């Protein structure tokens, strides 16, 4: 059964997007990406070389854009101007590439999104012709504003970036998912495979993660676990879980036509 999803008009089989930072080298990055099955990879333009420094190895050689969709991101940017400038640089480095991930942080301790600057940057980038996937808080009102600006995907956090705390507010995520007319992908906070499965069971269209894989003791094995968890969670969502019944049992066998005891 085919179950694909679209971002900015392009169809993908995998609903797992992975980051490319924190690996010991590009070879390990490539191995983890292959094991994850991801078709979209995100790259921090301010931290990873994709041609900015011609004297150093480039990620483009390990993960060619002909095989993967690049999603340049603005990790490390704390205001709208820096974020816009960073993504315009990415567009130059990647031959007029337009699919980007906007991320404007509020402070270095929590890495929580600066919503005011995120909205400001999103408006500029959408008018500039970018297809903007946007990292934001789990606030349904802000998510709707970003959608109305024209962002092509909303990416609320499950918990703080790199925390591995999993999904802290499933109710807000459901509010965002239920009202969105664009894909909703969980971004940040996933720690292990069960977190990914729960996110997909909520009805998310996909998940973006980096630390959960790159920071694992065995990144390659964890990449495979995440791929399977995303697939399992998606299947469970489509199948539809049984309703929860508090303080009420429900026999798993039929209750009519019972065999009489002698």
């Amino acid at each position: 059964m085919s179950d694909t999803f679209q971002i900015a008009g392009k169809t993908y089989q995998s609903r797992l997007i992975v980051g490319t930072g924190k690996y010991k080298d590009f070879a390990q990055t490539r191995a983890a990406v292959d094991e994850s099955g991801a078709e979209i990879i995100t790259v921090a333009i301010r931290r990873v070389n994709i041609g900015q420094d011609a004297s150093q190895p480039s990620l483009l050689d390990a993960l060619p854009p002909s095989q993967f969709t690049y999603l340049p991101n603005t990790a490390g940017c704390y205001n709208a101007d820096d974020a816009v400038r960073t993504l315009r640089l990415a567009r130059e480095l990647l031959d007029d590439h337009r699919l980007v991930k906007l991320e404007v942080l509020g402070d270095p301790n929590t890495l929580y999104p600066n919503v005011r600057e995120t909205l400001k940057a999103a408006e500029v980038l959408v008018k500039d012709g970018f297809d903007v996937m946007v990292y934001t808080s789990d606030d349904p009102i802000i998510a709707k504003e970003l959608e109305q600006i024209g962002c092509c995907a909303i990416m609320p956090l499950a918990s703080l970036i790199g925390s591995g705390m999993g999904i802290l507010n499933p109710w807000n995520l459901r509010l965002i998912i239920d009202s969105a007319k664009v894909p909703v992908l969980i971004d940040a906070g996933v720690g292990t495979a069960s977190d990914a499965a729960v996110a997909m069971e909520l009805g998310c269209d996909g998940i973006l993660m980096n630390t959960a894989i790159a920071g694992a003791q065995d990144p390659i094995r964890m990449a495979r676990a995440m791929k399977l968890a995303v697939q399992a969670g998606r299947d469970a969502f489509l199948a539809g879980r049984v309703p929860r019944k508090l303080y009420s049992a429900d026999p798993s066998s039929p209750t009519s036509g019972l065999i009489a005891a002698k």
Side-chain angles (χ1 to χ4, degrees):
M1 183 189 305
S2 177
D3 176 40
T4 60
F5 83 124
Q6 289 193 339
I7 294 287
K10 186 172 180 179
T11 301
Y12 297 94
Q13 303 291 327
S14 172
R15 294 172 179 270
L16 176 58
I17 300 173
V18 296
T20 54
K22 297 186 176 180
Y23 293 96
K24 66 179 183 180
D25 52 35
F26 285 158
Q28 188 184 58
T29 308
R30 175 66 197 240
V33 171
D34 284 344
E35 201 66 32
S36 75
E39 298 166 280
I40 306 175
I41 57 169
T42 187
V43 54
I45 296 300
R46 305 182 79 182
R47 295 171 179 156
V48 178
N49 184 35
I50 60 168
Q52 305 96 311
D53 186 347
S55 67
Q56 296 297 318
S58 171
L59 183 67
L60 299 177
D61 296 326
L63 294 164
S66 59
Q67 297 179 24
F68 300 94
T69 296
Y70 267 63
L71 182 64
N73 70 62
T74 57
C77 292
Y78 287 85
N79 59 66
D81 290 342
D82 283 351
V84 170
R85 189 180 308 113
T86 298
L87 292 178
R88 285 174 175 165
L89 171 62
R91 182 164 62 182
E92 292 180 14
L93 292 169
L94 295 171
D95 297 327
D96 202 32
H97 183 85
R98 294 181 178 273
L99 181 64
V100 297
K101 178 195 164 190
L102 172 62
E103 172 181 321
V104 185
L105 304 176
D107 75 86
N109 294 322
T110 65
L111 301 180
Y112 206 75
N114 183 325
V115 171
R116 186 193 300 272
E117 292 293 301
T118 299
L119 290 164
K120 182 179 171 183
E123 287 184 342
V124 173
L125 292 167
V126 169
K127 288 178 180 176
D128 213 10
F130 285 95
D131 296 314
V132 181
M133 301 175 70
V134 57
Y135 168 66
T136 185
S137 64
D138 59 5
D139 183 333
I141 305 303
I142 297 301
K144 181 55 67 176
E145 284 193 43
L146 290 164
E147 180 183 330
Q148 291 170 343
I149 285 172
C151 293
C152 67
I154 307 301
M155 308 177 78
L157 54 77
S159 49
L160 297 182
I161 291 173
S163 69
M165 291 292 291
I167 298 172
L168 299 184
N169 195 340
W171 297 276
N172 272 30
L173 296 177
R174 281 299 302 269
L175 287 172
I176 294 172
I177 293 166
D178 289 347
S179 67
K181 294 181 174 57
V182 297
V184 176
L185 296 89
I186 292 298
D187 183 4
V190 169
T192 190
S194 56
D195 297 334
V198 170
M200 296 306 297
E201 289 172 7
L202 285 172
C204 296
D205 294 282
I207 302 176
L208 187 153
M209 65 179 71
N210 185 55
T211 302
I213 295 176
Q217 294 181 25
D218 185 342
I220 312 305
R221 182 180 288 257
M222 184 60 84
R224 181 168 66 250
M226 290 299 186
K227 176 179 69 175
L228 297 174
V230 168
Q231 292 172 351
R234 177 65 179 173
D235 275 346
F237 170 73
L238 294 176
R241 62 159 297 137
V242 297
R244 292 183 173 87
K245 296 181 179 179
L246 293 179
Y247 312 117
S248 176
D250 184 5
S252 57
S253 302
T255 56
S256 60
L258 297 179
I259 298 173
K262 294 182 178 178

